[in-house]
Amino acid sequence: MSLGILATCSSVLPFSIKALNPDLNSHGRDRTMKMISMLILIVVFASISYQPLNAQTVNRGSAEERQCKSRYDSIFARINSKALPSNNIRRVSDEEIGWALTYEKNLREGKGCNAQAKIFSASKPSAPISTPATAKKRFDEALAAYKANNFSSARQGFAGSCYIDVSPQGCHNLGLMMEQGKGGPADTKGALAAYHTACDKKSYGPSCFNVGTMLQNGRGGSVDLAQSRRYYERGCTLGYADACYNLGRFLQEGNGGPAEPIRSVSTFAKACELGSAAACNNYGVALATSRNGQKPDFARARTFYEKGCSGGDLRGCHNYAALLRYGQGGAADPVGARAYLKRSCDRNDSESCLALGQMLETKVGGAPDPVQSRAIYSKSCDFGNLGGCNGLGNMFQKGRGGAVDLPRARAIYDKACAAKSNVACVNFGAMLAKGDGGPKDAPRARALFKSGCDANDDDACRNLAISLRYGIGGSIDASGAEAAYGKSCKLGNKLACDRK
């Protein structure tokens, strides 16, 4: 055994000699010392270099011999490395130590790497040496196993592809399987380590993005927005669209560093060019709202909204429909607006359903269809859109698109009001004041009107003024009524201006 391996074996042992049986009696200590002395003699004897009579002529410069030497040097370097493994896995396995010892023995006996492989394969196969051919084969087999739903084999294969071949795609797929718990237990720390390997060592953009998202959400470790921002930046630099989109959001909102609104716009533009539909919509918003530091450009905004919509971003469809309806950035096209709203409503975008329900109540873009409008409002409300709930309550209250149902309208307003919809609170308050759909409760109605007026709702202020003027739900307050009328008028309520 060479002194190099001897000097480093203790670094991989789980304990030192000093920790062995400290309570041995003297007889036990004598036996231990004799055993150690014999071990030293054996090691010294084994370390004497000799050339056996049957030594073979070996070409140490051959490709096979160079690969074995490279593996031996790698094992030796990892044993002596002072850096801590990032994945909490032993730096050198027992199998590798055994391989290195056998390799040294064969060197002393003049045997080549071929003999080394044959000797060691009798006990345990050596770790595979990565070549372009073996790397491709390992990855392809893992991918085939995944497609065949053999997730356990796929995960093992991707692990080999990652840690033996350092394949960026192998590491990325291993990370995905670890994160999702496919082929084995979920392991977010292991997933983060695999993504790190692909990003840090191989500059793989998708993995840089995944590192960013895990750091952003505290998966596999603690939340670190600053580091998340850096990894989004790196992924974007490598041309990964989603990394650019998230970087744009971070720059816009000031996450992980200072807000950079102008730079966020250019980042959204880059992400859009790389294929992010969501970024196309955000770039369109920036153009329409002067976030890029220039005057609104509705014509270009219309282009990018449409591009985002074509790419599957529902907000892009909604915003494009709005420009078509009102003729901003081009000719008005209310028929087209209805079509685009239906396109995104059919895919469960609640805002688009609300806007479509409103158009179906009117002649804008086609004939009114109150029955369909009621159904669309119901869908919007089901997805939690408070405007849709208010519209649905109004349809039941006034009997549009179906029969009048005051109790149901009142229940819908009540629920939406509890979710902080000022419009619903005003409508609910009006039904409470009159006793529509249930018992009258004028004091509660007056309280709801005040809350709505404080939130600058013109109808709420007018209803509060009426309550104060006539003492509904409380005492008469003429000055308070006048103030409420005045506020409602300033907010644009013409009836309040006439004190009606």
Side-chain angles (χ1 to χ4, degrees), residues 7-50:
T8 57
C9 280
S10 64
S11 67
V12 297
L13 291 174
F15 42 72
S16 65
I17 291 176
K18 291 180 181 180
L20 289 174
N21 294 329
D23 297 327
L24 287 176
N25 55 30
S26 60
H27 178 69
R29 286 194 296 270
D30 291 341
R31 290 184 61 190
T32 301
M33 293 306 297
K34 287 178 181 180
M35 291 174 65
I36 293 173
S37 299
M38 291 177 67
L39 179 60
I40 293 172
L41 288 174
I42 292 171
V43 171
V44 171
F45 180 78
S47 66
I48 298 173
S49 177
Y50 67 95

Side-chain angles (χ1 to χ4, degrees), residues 136-151:
K136 183 178 186 305
K137 184 174 183 290
R138 197 177 348 262
F139 179 84
D140 289 346
E141 288 176 348
L143 188 60
Y146 185 91
K147 291 179 178 179
N149 294 327
N150 188 352
F151 296 132

Side-chain angles (χ1 to χ4, degrees), residues 141-164:
E141 288 176 348
L143 188 60
Y146 185 91
K147 291 179 178 179
N149 294 327
N150 188 352
F151 296 132
S152 178
S153 295
R155 182 160 167 167
Q156 292 176 10
F158 286 135
S161 180
C162 178
Y163 294 121
I164 296 172

Side-chain angles (χ1 to χ4, degrees), residues 11-12 78-79 81-93 163 193 197 201:
S11 67
V12 297
R78 281 182 283 135
I79 289 174
S81 174
K82 294 181 179 180
L84 293 174
S86 62
N87 53 7
N88 296 320
I89 298 174
R90 282 184 61 182
R91 187 180 290 114
V92 179
S93 67
Y163 294 121
T197 299
K201 293 186 178 180

Side-chain angles (χ1 to χ4, degrees), residues 64-271:
E64 188 176 31
E65 291 298 317
R66 289 199 307 272
Q67 284 184 336
C68 284
K69 179 62 165 60
S70 175
R71 185 180 183 213
Y72 173 81
D73 291 341
S74 172
I75 294 171
F76 181 82
R78 281 182 283 135
I79 289 174
N80 285 292
S81 174
K82 294 181 179 180
L84 293 174
S86 62
N87 53 7
N88 296 320
I89 298 174
R90 282 184 61 182
R91 187 180 290 114
V92 179
S93 67
D94 293 337
E95 181 272 324
E96 289 177 308
I97 294 171
W99 186 93
L101 293 175
T102 307
Y103 176 73
E104 287 191 343
K105 179 176 181 292
N106 288 336
L107 285 180
R108 291 194 301 272
E109 295 175 356
K111 296 178 181 178
C113 192
N114 184 46
Q116 152 78 3
K118 288 180 179 178
I119 291 172
F120 197 70
S121 64
S123 57
K124 186 182 288 188
S126 61
I129 298 172
S130 178
T131 66
T134 60
K136 183 178 186 305
K137 184 174 183 290
R138 197 177 348 262
F139 179 84
D140 289 346
E141 288 176 348
L143 188 60
Y146 185 91
K147 291 179 178 179
N149 294 327
N150 188 352
F151 296 132
S152 178
S153 295
R155 182 160 167 167
Q156 292 176 10
F158 286 135
S161 180
C162 178
Y163 294 121
I164 296 172
D165 307 315
V166 197
S167 161
Q169 294 88 350
C171 289
H172 187 79
N173 289 355
L174 174 62
L176 290 174
M177 295 194 76
M178 286 180 160
E179 201 173 354
Q180 297 167 5
K182 285 189 174 181
D187 181 0
T188 54
K189 288 185 178 180
L192 183 58
Y195 294 143
H196 266 298
T197 299
C199 176
D200 299 342
K201 293 186 178 180
K202 293 295 183 177
S203 299
Y204 192 57
S207 289
C208 296
F209 168 76
N210 282 11
V211 171
T213 58
M214 293 191 79
L215 292 172
Q216 179 182 354
N217 298 309
R219 288 177 56 78
S222 58
V223 172
D224 189 338
L225 295 183
Q227 277 290 84
S228 175
R229 180 165 168 162
R230 293 189 190 99
Y231 274 94
Y232 286 146
E233 181 95 54
R234 185 169 186 183
C236 183
T237 301
L238 292 168
Y240 193 65
D242 288 342
C244 292
Y245 173 75
N246 280 12
L247 175 61
R249 292 288 302 272
F250 269 47
L251 294 170
Q252 180 180 338
E253 299 165 10
N255 292 326
E260 300 181 50
I262 301 300
R263 187 174 166 225
S264 75
V265 174
S266 63
T267 304
F268 285 137
K270 179 179 179 179

